[in-house]
Amino acid sequence: MTGADTPPSFRLSYVPGVTPGKWVRIWHERLPDVPLDLAGVSAAEAPAMLRGGGADAGLVRLPMDRTGLSAIPLYTETTVVVVPKDHLVAAVEEVSVEDLADEVVLHPLDDTLEWERLPGRPARERPATTMDAVELVAAGVGVLMVPQSLARLHHRKDLTYRPVTDAPESRVALSWLEDETTDLVEHFIGIVRGRTVNSTRGRPAPAARSKAPSKQQKPLSKGAGRGGTQKSGAGKPAKGGAKRGKPRRRS
């Protein structure tokens, strides 16, 4: 198969905690002839993967280094604190950063939250990954603050989590190279933004393009001959040529 015969494909990367399944299903419904290839990547590696051409677009976490990249924020995640089930925090519905001031707060190297000042008491060393930090929480070493989707991703039966009302939040965005806004990228932008298939930037269905009647075409009226259509509003003259507004006869 030559390069010209190779069907186009769309490569989408995504970071842990992000679930692109809904958008992927819509893609397959609208563009069944264009394969969509998924690639998981860490939040730290996601920008470099896009710049290096390893993906056409990516679902990333903000903040990040956006040099040379376009990004559309999609949604913001709640930040939660992960604790053992028998921890005091498990007895309340939500906490503040100040409530955790006396706790050892683990800060993994792949943390996606932007802190002005780290909360709580620092651990002796930083875990390499969020997964490692979750293991330390289960061992009673400390607590961990992460976006809620990461708490769900690394769920354990002996752990739970609660929202932290005033912690920094992680935003999930769609990102791609600024100079590579291709038609396929535009299609995926339309999908994540909820555009319909017939929107101006969406891909119209082939049947709609070929069968949809033109709005300017109107059926011929019964009185119109083959030479042309009867103009709208042109009434049939009254019998006998009577005219409106006949002047009165002077006396």
Side-chain angles (χ1 to χ4, degrees):
M1 181 178 288
T2 64
D5 297 329
T6 303
S9 64
F10 187 70
R11 298 164 300 166
L12 178 69
S13 61
Y14 64 99
V15 297
V18 176
T19 52
K22 175 183 176 181
W23 298 319
V24 171
R25 287 193 298 272
I26 295 174
W27 177 278
H28 289 319
E29 291 171 0
R30 296 185 183 181
L31 290 88
D33 54 332
V34 181
L36 191 153
D37 301 323
L38 291 172
V41 62
S42 70
E45 296 170 338
M49 185 175 188
L50 292 172
R51 293 191 192 97
D56 299 304
L59 296 167
V60 301
R61 288 191 182 276
L62 302 179
M64 71 172 188
D65 179 8
R66 291 174 58 172
T67 304
L69 299 174
S70 296
I72 299 175
L74 301 178
Y75 58 89
T76 301
E77 283 201 64
T78 299
T79 298
V80 301
V81 58
V82 181
V83 298
K85 279 193 171 180
D86 58 357
H87 196 281
L88 290 176
V89 167
V92 298
E93 293 185 358
E94 60 185 26
V95 295
S96 66
V97 169
E98 186 178 354
D99 293 332
L100 304 172
D102 295 330
E103 299 288 342
V104 173
V105 178
L106 301 167
H107 187 216
L109 294 175
D110 63 354
D111 185 16
T112 60
L113 301 175
E114 190 173 44
W115 296 96
E116 292 184 5
R117 185 175 65 87
L118 291 174
R121 297 186 292 121
R124 292 183 178 180
E125 59 183 29
R126 296 182 65 181
T129 66
T130 298
M131 182 180 296
D132 294 334
V134 169
E135 295 292 333
L136 293 174
V137 173
V141 174
V143 301
L144 172 66
M145 279 188 272
V146 291
Q148 185 169 315
S149 66
L150 290 181
R152 290 174 175 169
L153 178 65
H154 300 295
H155 171 71
R156 289 176 51 121
K157 292 182 179 180
D158 53 347
L159 300 180
T160 188
Y161 59 84
R162 293 293 183 270
V164 184
T165 56
D166 53 350
E169 296 175 319
S170 174
R171 290 177 296 160
V172 173
L174 176 66
S175 184
W176 66 96
L177 282 174
E178 287 180 348
D179 299 330
E180 296 292 336
T181 309
T182 64
D183 288 342
L184 292 181
V185 170
E186 284 284 6
H187 281 305
F188 199 78
I189 292 172
I191 289 172
V192 298
R193 283 188 159 178
R195 295 180 190 142
T196 64
V197 68
N198 292 320
S199 65
T200 54
R201 292 189 183 183
R203 184 184 186 187
R209 280 185 289 178
S210 60
K211 295 182 180 180
S214 171
K215 291 182 179 180
Q216 296 181 356
Q217 292 179 350
K218 294 183 179 181
L220 296 177
S221 61
K222 293 182 179 180
R226 291 185 179 181
T229 59
Q230 184 177 348
K231 293 184 178 179
S232 177
K236 199 172 182 180
K239 191 173 182 180
K243 300 181 180 179
R244 293 183 181 179
K246 187 176 180 180
R248 296 180 181 180
R249 183 181 297 174
R250 293 183 179 180
S251 57

